[in-house]
Amino acid sequence: MSEIVENEATISDVASEKVPSSSEARWYVAHTYSGYENKVKKDIEKTIENRKLHDQILEVAVPVQDVVEVKNGAKKTVSKKLFPGYVLVHMYMNDVTWYVVRNTRGVTGFVGPESKPVPLTEAEMRTLGINVKEVQIDVEVGDMIKVVTGAWEGNSGEIKAINESKQTVTIEVDIFGRATSVEIGFVDIQKI
């Protein structure tokens, strides 16, 4: 007697849902079961390690605030979650990252209309105390750089373009014998 077991959705199934992809890392909010925030954070971080997604999912956060409570006449400082039931994820939105976060045990969906992920605005990020870090680099178009981290680690090339607002440089890498332009983040490069 054999049983038929339904498999979990695959990434190709997810692609049919038209996940909005982003060319820059943004902060998204994932809704979780109440009390599962730290477990979800650890599970996503473990998946990042296992699937080597460090260059796509950059940070997972459960915002907390220190609060002084008075119990039985004694003051005690405790950390309380600012947003119970929510986890913040700093990532490049694409089918893979959407699938990883959405299918983490304890996650019920992304915050947005019809569970379509909507990134936080800069004003919302400032009120949460999230600072947008600008990276300054000393390179120009024509300089040679080496990629030191991320998916293109070990590649080197000449800078074809610099995008200050996206914090990226464009170089050409050889893929299957063909020169292909790729964008690399400022934090992932080193001048040769």
Side-chain angles (χ1 to χ4, degrees), residues 16 51 66 68 70 83 93 117 126 132 138 160 162 172:
S16 67
R51 294 191 179 190
D66 288 336
V68 177
V70 178
F83 308 107
M93 181 58 69
R126 276 193 296 277
V132 180
D138 183 28
K160 301 294 182 188
I162 299 174
E172 288 188 353

Side-chain angles (χ1 to χ4, degrees), residues 41-116:
K41 179 181 188 286
K42 285 184 178 137
D43 288 349
I44 293 172
E45 289 171 342
K46 190 182 297 182
T47 303
I48 292 168
E49 281 292 319
N50 293 341
R51 294 191 179 190
K52 301 192 183 341
L53 296 172
H54 301 284
D55 58 334
Q56 294 180 52
I57 302 176
L58 309 175
E59 187 177 350
V60 183
V62 178
V64 291
Q65 178 181 24
D66 288 336
V67 178
V68 177
E69 288 184 347
V70 178
K71 286 190 179 178
N72 300 327
K75 288 184 180 181
K76 183 179 179 184
T77 304
V78 294
S79 290
K80 292 216 173 204
K81 294 178 185 86
L82 282 176
F83 308 107
Y86 296 96
V87 173
L88 303 178
V89 185
H90 189 210
M91 66 183 192
Y92 291 91
M93 181 58 69
N94 58 44
D95 290 340
V96 173
T97 58
W98 180 91
Y99 180 84
V100 165
V101 174
R102 180 65 186 87
N103 290 293
T104 298
R105 186 183 313 269
V107 173
T108 60
F110 280 96
V111 172
E114 299 176 14
S115 288
K116 298 276 190 228

Side-chain angles (χ1 to χ4, degrees), residues 96-149:
V96 173
T97 58
W98 180 91
Y99 180 84
V100 165
V101 174
R102 180 65 186 87
N103 290 293
T104 298
R105 186 183 313 269
V107 173
T108 60
F110 280 96
V111 172
E114 299 176 14
S115 288
K116 298 276 190 228
V118 175
L120 293 173
T121 65
E122 287 196 26
E124 291 169 328
M125 291 177 1
R126 276 193 296 277
T127 59
L128 293 175
I130 300 170
N131 296 324
V132 180
K133 297 176 186 167
E134 293 272 329
V135 176
Q136 300 296 322
I137 59 168
D138 183 28
V139 293
E140 297 174 1
V141 173
D143 287 350
M144 291 296 292
I145 56 106
K146 178 179 179 181
V147 182
V148 292
T149 60

